[in-house]
């Protein structure tokens, strides 16, 4: 895991306050049915399960579980994001994921999608594990670099796209975070999302200069980057990247 130490929580909240109005349309993956169905299938929640959605944002993950399980609780720190999630949950808690206001073993499943890159990741994942019941599941869903060949360019693209990002992951980082938090039976699956880079970079919270730099990196991408991202550039200049998500799931020991 690569970490930047200079990101404050105020920076994160300002970033998402600026983005909230167009967040749901800011990436294909946000609302991608295939991805959302894959997540639910992997976790296979029982109808009487209690589920915790960390960094719930506008509730795009919460809505997949709400009313399908006994209880779905969302946690986030940005009002502008989570007020949209209210009708999609059974309760919203404004709290830092690093210090969760729940007792040990309160939930059957704790999951996060694209949240821990803004956090003290080790602390947050330990908290997710702490509040999950024995035999319950903890799930991390994160954009990852494929390997050493693409990580420098990809991490720079991710940094430019989101100035509030603190952590940059490889798949093994997700597994290590879950293991360090006490999970067993840890598995990481791949999910590939074909993202239109212009749509993805136009998130409503970064300047043209950053978007231009992202374009430049894609246009000059090394063979090492391209062998994984299989970048295509259409005649009209639109760029599509096969972005990799790691879906990592661990089990709390009995
Ligand atoms: C990229 S959005 C992800 C939203 C949602 N999980 C999804 O998949 O659409 C990241 C969210 O993380 C929240 N967040 C960032 N740091 C946090 C923290 N320390 N504790 C709780 N939420 C946090 C932000 O406010 C934002 O809503």
């Amino acid at each position: 895991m690569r970490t930047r130490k200079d990101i404050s929580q105020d920076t994160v909240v300002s970033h998402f306050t600026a983005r909230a109005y167009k967040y749901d349309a800011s990436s294909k993956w946000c609302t991608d049915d295939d991805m959302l169905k894959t997540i639910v299938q992997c976790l296979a929640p029982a109808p009487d399960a209690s589920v915790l959605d960390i960094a719930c944002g506008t509730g795009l993950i919460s809505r997949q579980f709400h009313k399908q399980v006994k209880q779905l609780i969302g946690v986030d720190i940005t009002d502008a994001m989570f007020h949209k999630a209210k009708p999609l949950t059974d309760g919203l808690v404004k709290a830092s994921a690093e210090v969760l206001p729940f007792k040990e073993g309160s939930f059957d499943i704790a999951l996060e999608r694209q949240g821990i890159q803004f956090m003290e990741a080790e602390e947050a994942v330990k908290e997710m594990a702490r509040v999950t019941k024995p035999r319950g599941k903890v799930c991390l869903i994160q954009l990852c670099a494929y390997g050493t060949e693409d990580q420098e360019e990809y991490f720079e693209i991710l940094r430019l796209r989101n100035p509030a990002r603190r952590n940059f992951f490889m798949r093994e980082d997700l597994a290590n975070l879950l293991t360090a938090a006490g999970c067993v039976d840890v598995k990481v699956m791949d999910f590939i999302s074909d993202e239109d880079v212009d749509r993805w970079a136009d998130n409503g919270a970064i300047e043209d200069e950053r978007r231009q730099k992202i374009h430049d990196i894609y246009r000059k991408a090394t063979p090492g980057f391209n062998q994984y991202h299989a970048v295509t550039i259409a005649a009209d200049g639109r760029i599509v990247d096969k972005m990799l998500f790691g879906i990592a799931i661990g089990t709390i020991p009995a």
Side-chain angles (χ1 to χ4, degrees):
M1 182 169 79
R2 188 90 49 88
T3 297
R4 294 173 65 203
K5 302 276 182 209
D6 58 335
I7 306 294
S8 72
Q9 208 165 77
D10 288 348
T11 307
V12 176
V13 172
S14 302
H15 178 81
F16 283 103
T17 301
R19 277 183 68 180
Y21 78 102
K22 66 186 292 189
Y23 175 80
D24 291 5
S26 65
S27 302
K28 179 184 158 224
W29 62 257
C30 276
T31 52
D32 182 342
D33 267 346
D34 280 351
M35 182 182 200
L36 294 165
K37 279 189 193 135
T38 301
I39 294 165
V40 176
Q41 274 167 13
C42 288
L43 290 167
D48 64 348
S50 254
V51 179
L52 178 65
D53 182 10
I54 291 293
C56 64
T58 58
L60 295 173
I61 293 288
S62 302
R63 75 194 315 166
Q64 305 304 314
F65 294 90
H66 186 223
K67 299 205 190 296
Q68 306 300 317
V69 296
K70 190 172 107 199
Q71 174 178 246
L72 181 289
I73 302 294
V75 166
D76 206 289
I77 48 167
T78 309
D79 295 297
M81 292 286 282
F82 80 60
H83 89 266
K84 291 185 169 188
K86 242 171 217 155
L88 308 171
T89 69
D90 299 302
L92 267 178
V93 179
K94 185 174 180 178
S96 240
E98 292 90 335
V99 190
L100 290 174
F102 306 111
K103 291 194 182 127
E104 282 73 10
S106 301
F107 297 93
D108 298 287
I109 294 171
L111 80 161
E112 67 78 37
R113 181 176 72 166
Q114 288 292 103
I116 58 166
Q117 75 268 35
F118 305 107
M119 304 173 187
E120 299 278 356
E122 292 90 347
E123 298 309 313
V125 178
K126 278 185 189 152
E127 278 293 85
M128 291 172 77
R130 180 184 67 78
V131 302
T132 303
K133 295 175 187 171
R135 298 194 186 85
K137 290 189 175 132
V138 181
C139 175
L140 313 175
I141 304 145
Q142 287 290 322
L143 275 174
C144 291
Y146 286 86
T148 50
E149 298 89 340
D150 70 319
Q151 72 170 347
E152 295 310 327
E153 287 152 288
Y154 195 51
F155 287 175
E156 179 60 4
I157 288 167
L158 293 176
R159 186 191 69 79
L160 287 164
R161 197 264 184 169
N162 196 322
R165 180 184 266 268
R166 173 193 285 260
N167 303 310
F168 302 82
F169 301 107
M170 312 274 271
R171 284 166 281 203
E172 54 268 35
D173 297 322
L174 304 181
N176 290 341
L177 284 165
L178 288 172
T179 304
C183 293
V184 295
D185 247 345
V186 173
K187 294 184 180 64
V188 187
M189 280 150 285
D190 289 356
F191 184 90
I192 310 292
S193 183
D194 287 347
E195 290 292 332
D196 177 325
V197 167
D198 283 310
R199 172 180 174 188
W200 179 73
D202 186 15
N203 61 15
I206 60 169
E207 319 84 64
D208 287 350
E209 195 190 338
R210 277 180 178 260
R211 293 209 292 276
Q212 192 52 53
K213 281 185 181 161
I214 291 171
H215 255 254
D216 291 347
I217 296 175
Y218 276 107
R219 289 187 171 282
K220 295 179 193 151
T222 59
F225 183 91
N226 273 329
Q227 73 173 308
Y228 291 115
H229 291 259
V231 174
T232 53
I233 305 181
D236 65 359
R238 295 195 87 74
I239 300 171
V240 175
D241 177 359
K242 289 197 177 299
M243 294 193 190
L244 167 69
F245 279 87
I247 302 179
I249 301 180
T251 303
I252 302 297

